[in-house]
């Protein structure tokens, strides 16, 4: 299996949402591409010039596009998908000239200091304030915690 080259920076708009394409509109800021935790709710599907994608939204009016291929991976692997929402760790990836979110991989979470298990004891989850969410025992990983 070949090692993938990680996208170094990703374009975000003025509200903090991921821009799906950079062309005519300049990004508000380019951010380092590292795993981030967020509660995203599915908004719908849209078709662009080159691809169809799912659109997720988060608080503050932020939106996050997702490629269809990555949705299949999410549906197969997200332990906490509930009524169109997913609270987990995400990464940005680029396909062609388009950007989208996907489920963060275990090796990426390990680089971010994510340990799994209880959110109270995971340094990465504590840094995101996830130990203060309504379900602090759920540490957000790509795989379910067998102790729950």
């Amino acid at each position: 299996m070949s090692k993938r080259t990680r996208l170094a920076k990703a374009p975000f708009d003025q509200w903090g949402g991921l821009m799906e394409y950079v062309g005519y509109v300049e990004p508000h800021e380019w951010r380092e591409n590292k795993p981030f935790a967020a509660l995203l709710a599915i908004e719908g599907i849209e078709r662009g010039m080159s691809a169809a994608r799912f659109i997720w939204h988060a608080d503050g009016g932020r939106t996050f596009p997702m490629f269809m291929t990555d949705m299949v991976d999410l549906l197969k692997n997200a332990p906490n998908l509930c009524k169109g929402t997913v609270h987990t760790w995400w990464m940005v990836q680029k396909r062609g000239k388009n950007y989208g979110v996907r489920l963060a991989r275990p090796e990426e979470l390990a680089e971010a200091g994510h340990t799994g298990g209880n959110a109270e004891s995971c340094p990465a989850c504590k840094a995101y304030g996830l130990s203060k969410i309504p379900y602090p025992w759920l540490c957000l990983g790509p795989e379910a915690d067998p102790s729950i």
Side-chain angles (χ1 to χ4, degrees):
M1 183 173 176
S2 66
K3 185 168 170 102
R4 299 174 195 220
T5 302
R6 183 187 300 177
L7 179 66
K9 294 190 181 245
F12 286 81
D13 62 24
Q14 65 267 29
W15 300 282
L18 177 65
M19 294 179 68
E20 58 195 51
Y21 176 78
V22 177
Y24 307 110
V25 179
E26 283 299 314
H28 180 68
E29 78 178 291
W30 287 93
R31 295 184 187 168
E32 181 183 353
N33 188 24
K34 59 185 180 181
F36 66 96
L39 171 63
L40 300 183
I42 192 75
E43 189 171 294
I45 300 172
E46 71 176 30
R47 293 194 67 72
M49 300 270 284
S50 61
R53 61 195 145 266
F54 291 90
I55 302 297
W56 295 87
H57 70 264
D59 60 342
R62 299 177 297 151
T63 60
F64 298 87
M66 175 182 270
F67 301 109
M68 289 189 162
T69 301
D70 298 315
M71 177 62 97
V72 172
D73 183 53
L74 177 72
L75 292 173
K76 288 181 177 179
N77 296 301
N80 50 7
L81 178 63
C82 181
K83 297 187 178 188
T85 64
V86 182
H87 197 191
T88 194
W89 289 86
W90 306 94
M91 281 291 287
V92 176
Q93 82 169 26
K94 185 177 181 184
R95 292 181 190 264
K97 293 184 178 184
N98 299 305
Y99 296 87
V101 292
R102 63 167 169 76
L103 196 59
R105 296 183 184 105
E107 63 272 13
E108 294 161 337
L109 292 174
E111 288 175 24
H114 180 76
T115 59
N118 187 309
E120 292 285 335
S121 62
C122 174
C125 288
K126 282 176 111 173
Y128 266 94
L130 299 178
S131 58
K132 297 173 178 50
I133 63 172
Y135 307 102
W137 61 86
L138 180 61
C139 187
L140 305 173
E143 65 283 330
D145 183 354
S147 67
I148 296 175

